[in-house]
Amino acid sequence: MAVLLVYLLAPFVWMTVYSLYPSTALQTLTPDLDPRQLRLDSYVALLSDPTFLRPLANSAIVGIATTIICMVLGSACAYVLARFRFRGRQALLLSMLTVQAIPVIVLAVPLFILLRAFGVYDSLIGLIVTYSAFILPLVVWMLVGFFEEIPPSLERAAIIDGCNRMQIMVRIAVPLAAPGMAATAILAFITSWSDFFLAKVLTITDAITLPVRTASFQGLFAMDYTSAATAGVITAVPVLVLALLAQRWIIRGLVEGAVKG
Amino acid sequence: MVYSLSRRRALQLGATTAGTFALAGCVGANSTDSNTGAEDGPLAPGDSPSGEITILDDNTNQVFQDSTIAAFEAATGITVRTYTQGNFNDLHDRFATLFAAGDTSIDVVMTWAGWTAEFGQAGWLQELDSAAVPDDLIQPALDAVSWDGKVYGLPKFASVQTMFWNKNMMGEADLDPEAGPQNWDEFVEAAKAMTTEDRWGFACDVGNPAGAYQNFLRVLLLNGGDMYDDEFRPIFNSEHGVEALAKFAELLTVHGVMDPASLQTTNASDLGDQFARGSTGMVFNWPFQYAVATAAESQLDTESVGNGLIPGMSVRSASIDGSEGFAISKFSQNKDAALAWLQFAASAEVQREIVEREGWFPVSQTVLEDPQSREALPVLETYEESTQYATKRWGVPWSNELDQLLSVQISDVLNERTSAQDALDSAAQQTQELVDRYLG
């Protein structure tokens, strides 16, 4: 377990170290980790660089918008799938998994053509729509499991009290499934926040996101390790904070989403 | 909830999936057909190109943005609507997507030997007529934009590795600081003499796949070997190749003169910085090494940096090429204007700026022989001398995969997990499979 923990944490620790020390101190067989060499220059430089702040803002906008869209549409869709039995229901759920199984690279060119045709290539709207299309099935799949966990008797009681379906969903189902919905929302945010490939091929200048900007620190002949590591830490921090805040929900959400649906 | 996947449902699911892929395929194909505007045959210079072009470059050069575009627009009347610099490592996938979609928004793309081969073979780059190619281009630079006997672009700068040595360390080791080693044996002896407790005689960058390939290709050529025969059968596991790799590995495993950090050094810039810190005797590096080593923050200066041909094993010298160029998208709607940009970037006027402001080698023989260029960049003398010897890159459509597979084998040899013969035999077998797959 300890070995696994070290294996998982070592890259992040090393990335953090690289962001805090001058690269010349680390590019030797025995890195010089003298605390007197610690510095925050690269953080100050990146966080005051407009060419970094814009991708940072782009990622935040895309991540938040995608999460909101997926959660609003996904929860409505998932509630219907959880509560109603209709022809094609199971096929619909299975087909949602199919979307996840298609390699993204296969869809890159058609997506590029579609976005360009609609005039939203290299735009935040284009990215938000694309990510929503990819993440929504996952959100629905997970939320179906959470809604199915809610005892139907509670909803029957609400019907007797005069609630319609929308009221039942808003006043009973959503509050009871809130932990699962929070975990799902966090996963949706992380997925869109950290995507690299689609952002790389569907943007070029205006809508570049943080992972793409981070990759640009590596050139053909050179690599700015310190900036790349700093950008990596800045990219990872929101994900880590969200994951730590909601780790219990995430684990529960993943487990339930995996076996129910 | 438990799902039972009936045959009917499986068929429904399969049909849905097939439909998705078919739709994706149809969109791509139709779009390509409707957008190409592609003309058959090589492109010759037009009478009076005009209009607008868009350029997608990597971020190696700043001179184009700083001054070349304005000069080009003034000289030709053509407008550069956008000049975008992308990260080299992202550009391949971007280009592949743009080309596969038949995108007409980009006219000019940056290229190098590997991409010229890959995208040229795919039919995505516009072949140029010989009338469009300047007469005085230096061959390795022209090779970077050529594949299978066809020219798909024009080079924008030349880059060839030469040897740099630390004259101070040479002197302290009782070696002649003015004359670098003339052959591999002298090189090994010099490296031994300069290696001390805290200094290394030699360092390189084999920490990533491309670096491993380049270091191997260099010693292969230095020993008179080559990568392929005339029919693209891999021959790098020949006696020349095995001996070359064995001698290269011995620098680390037998002689102990190669800095072990070389195994983790992933790019030429880090190697350049390491040399500039003054504790490495010799490196083989790209032209920018001179500027890095003589910069204000370097421990060296113009007086203490030596430069010369890379010493050969069975030949006097050889080197590897890293030239870049511009190519025209097959789907460009203004190829004549795009060609005008390619020719302008390769012109003497721009090439002088490339030499004087950026420290890269010129693609033009005329500029190479110009005394003014020599004064601005002293290492040009070595470059001119190196043109007498084999200088190759062997950019092929399978370059990326080759880098990967070869780097695994080279790493095993450097870590003494296998012999040079076994490693290269294995790599050659895998390479033959790649050749068969790409060339049929």
Side-chain angles (χ1 to χ4, degrees):
Chain A
M1 187 64 184
V3 173
L4 184 63
L5 197 63
V6 169
Y7 179 78
L8 290 173
L9 287 178
F12 184 75
V13 171
W14 190 236
M15 182 171 72
T16 308
V17 168
Y18 247 105
S19 73
L20 295 171
Y21 282 89
S23 57
T24 49
L26 305 174
Q27 290 168 354
T28 56
L29 275 184
T30 51
D32 179 6
L33 298 177
D34 185 343
R36 286 172 296 184
Q37 295 218 53
L38 281 170
R39 59 197 65 184
L40 294 171
D41 298 5
S42 61
Y43 287 90
V44 173
L46 280 189
L47 293 174
S48 58
D49 177 1
T51 67
F52 183 80
L53 291 176
R54 183 166 179 182
L56 180 63
N58 287 347
S59 282
I61 293 167
V62 169
I64 292 168
T66 302
T67 305
I68 291 171
I69 290 171
C70 288
M71 291 309 295
V72 170
L73 296 180
S75 56
C77 183
Y79 183 73
V80 169
L81 287 166
R83 280 293 172 257
F84 295 95
R85 295 291 179 269
F86 53 89
R87 187 180 170 84
R89 176 182 173 277
Q90 289 184 348
L92 186 62
L93 278 166
L94 280 172
S95 65
M96 287 178 182
L97 277 191
T98 309
V99 173
Q100 300 294 319
I102 298 172
V104 176
I105 196 166
V106 173
L107 298 175
V109 173
L111 279 171
F112 171 83
I113 292 168
L114 275 176
L115 296 193
R116 190 188 55 188
F118 284 103
V120 289
Y121 170 70
D122 194 26
S123 74
L124 298 185
I125 290 175
L127 281 184
I128 291 166
V129 170
T130 304
Y131 288 149
S132 296
F134 274 94
I135 296 170
L136 187 58
L138 180 68
V139 167
V140 172
W141 185 269
M142 288 183 68
L143 290 182
V144 165
F146 289 111
F147 285 133
E148 283 191 334
E149 263 204 334
I150 299 168
S153 57
L154 286 177
E155 297 185 13
R156 282 197 291 272
I159 290 172
I160 292 169
D161 288 343
C163 287
N164 60 31
R165 274 292 169 187
M166 181 59 79
Q167 288 170 322
I168 290 171
M169 185 185 155
V170 173
R171 294 180 182 176
I172 296 174
V174 169
L176 287 173
M181 291 186 71
T184 307
I186 289 167
L187 278 178
F189 178 81
I190 291 173
T191 306
S192 58
W193 171 266
S194 58
D195 170 73
F196 175 63
F197 182 77
L198 283 176
K200 180 171 66 170
V201 297
L202 299 180
T203 66
I204 192 161
T205 49
D206 295 342
I208 278 177
T209 58
L210 205 47
V212 177
R213 178 68 180 91
T214 301
S216 73
F217 291 114
Q218 182 173 6
L220 176 57
F221 295 101
M223 174 152 185
D224 184 348
Y225 288 106
T226 307
S227 297
T230 307
V233 172
I234 293 170
T235 306
V237 163
V239 175
L240 274 178
V241 170
L242 283 172
L244 287 172
L245 285 175
Q247 57 178 318
R248 185 164 52 90
W249 297 337
I250 288 177
I251 292 166
R252 185 179 163 204
L254 283 172
V255 171
E256 291 184 353
V259 297
K260 292 181 178 294
Chain B
M1 181 180 290
V2 178
Y3 290 110
S4 58
L5 188 63
S6 67
R7 185 163 51 175
R8 185 179 171 191
R9 289 208 176 94
L11 285 171
Q12 285 174 338
L13 198 58
T16 306
T17 309
T20 305
F21 279 103
L23 179 63
C26 288
V27 171
N30 291 338
S31 179
T32 299
D33 289 341
S34 63
N35 283 334
T36 60
E39 297 155 15
D40 291 327
L43 178 68
D47 288 337
S48 53
S50 60
E52 294 181 334
I53 56 168
T54 55
I55 302 167
L56 187 46
D57 197 1
D58 72 347
N59 51 14
T60 304
N61 305 98
Q62 294 307 313
V63 69
F64 300 123
Q65 197 156 31
D66 291 347
S67 59
T68 308
I69 290 173
F72 171 71
E73 290 178 335
T76 64
I78 298 167
T79 302
V80 177
R81 191 169 73 238
T82 59
Y83 170 82
T84 307
Q85 288 186 311
N87 171 249
F88 177 81
N89 295 299
D90 298 342
L91 285 179
H92 177 274
D93 291 343
R94 279 194 174 134
F95 286 161
T97 306
L98 289 165
F99 290 143
D103 182 71
T104 56
S105 67
I106 301 293
D107 299 295
V108 176
V109 295
M110 168 264 164
T111 190
W112 70 282
W115 293 353
T116 301
E118 180 181 350
F119 296 141
Q121 177 165 294
W124 288 338
L125 300 180
Q126 174 62 50
E127 184 189 350
L128 302 188
D129 187 89
S130 58
V133 180
D135 294 333
D136 70 339
L137 290 184
I138 294 163
Q139 191 59 42
L142 186 58
D143 289 344
V145 290
S146 306
W147 167 249
D148 198 22
K150 296 174 180 173
V151 178
Y152 288 104
L154 294 180
K156 60 174 178 164
F157 69 78
S159 181
V160 170
Q161 290 196 340
T162 58
M163 178 170 62
F164 297 86
W165 65 86
N166 182 327
K167 288 184 182 178
N168 298 335
M169 285 178 65
M170 280 268 196
E172 290 165 18
D174 291 331
L175 300 166
D176 180 359
E178 300 304 323
Q182 301 296 300
N183 56 53
W184 194 260
D185 290 339
E186 288 183 21
F187 166 72
V188 172
E189 290 308 312
K192 283 180 181 174
M194 287 189 279
T195 300
T196 62
E197 196 173 317
D198 57 350
R199 291 177 168 189
W200 296 99
F202 174 71
C204 61
D205 55 339
V206 287
N208 70 353
Y213 166 76
Q214 290 167 24
N215 275 278
F216 170 69
L217 175 60
R218 189 177 53 224
V219 292
L220 176 67
L221 296 172
L222 288 171
N223 203 29
D226 214 336
M227 288 294 293
Y228 306 95
D229 65 11
D230 292 340
E231 295 177 0
F232 263 104
R233 283 187 293 260
I235 54 169
F236 57 77
N237 58 333
S238 64
E239 195 177 322
H240 291 291
V242 172
E243 184 184 40
L245 181 55
K247 285 187 172 181
F248 178 65
E250 284 170 2
L251 295 174
L252 178 73
T253 60
V254 176
H255 307 304
V257 298
M258 181 198 291
D259 184 348
S262 301
L263 302 183
Q264 278 87 48
T265 303
T266 57
N267 61 75
S269 179
D270 287 349
L271 181 64
D273 290 341
Q274 184 180 342
F275 180 70
R277 288 197 287 273
S279 56
T280 302
M282 296 174 286
V283 294
F284 307 143
N285 211 343
W286 304 106
F288 67 78
Q289 176 67 86
Y290 183 76
V292 171
T294 57
E297 58 270 25
S298 170
Q299 298 297 311
L300 307 171
D301 55 29
T302 53
E303 298 301 314
S304 54
V305 175
N307 176 248
L309 293 173
I310 299 173
M313 293 175 181
S314 64
V315 297
R316 167 65 186 92
S317 184
S319 189
I320 57 173
D321 178 79
S323 303
E324 290 184 13
F326 286 119
I328 301 170
S329 165
K330 190 80 173 179
F331 309 105
S332 164
Q333 300 295 295
N334 196 354
K335 291 176 182 167
D336 288 339
L339 176 58
W341 167 263
L342 266 59
Q343 292 176 316
F344 194 78
S347 68
E349 176 188 348
V350 175
Q351 289 300 304
R352 283 195 184 91
E353 278 203 284
I354 292 270
V355 170
E356 292 170 13
R357 291 181 51 186
E358 304 204 315
W360 294 104
F361 295 154
V363 302
S364 141
Q365 189 73 33
T366 312
V367 177
L368 176 61
E369 292 168 357
D370 185 345
Q372 194 179 328
S373 302
R374 298 282 181 83
E375 194 178 333
L377 190 62
V379 292
L380 276 182
E381 190 176 335
T382 304
Y383 174 46
E384 184 174 19
E385 203 181 341
S386 77
T387 58
Q388 301 169 39
Y389 305 99
T391 300
K392 298 184 180 182
R393 182 56 173 258
W394 275 116
V396 288
W398 54 92
S399 281
N400 285 343
E401 289 142 292
L402 175 63
D403 289 357
Q404 296 282 349
L405 73 89
L406 204 50
S407 71
V408 172
Q409 300 297 337
I410 290 169
S411 173
D412 282 350
V413 174
L414 290 173
N415 287 293
E416 299 183 273
R417 289 193 286 262
T418 188
S419 68
Q421 181 76 64
D422 289 347
L424 292 182
D425 284 347
S426 173
Q429 185 183 347
Q430 295 174 70
T431 305
Q432 184 62 58
E433 290 169 8
L434 288 175
V435 174
D436 292 342
R437 195 197 321 156
Y438 278 88
L439 299 184

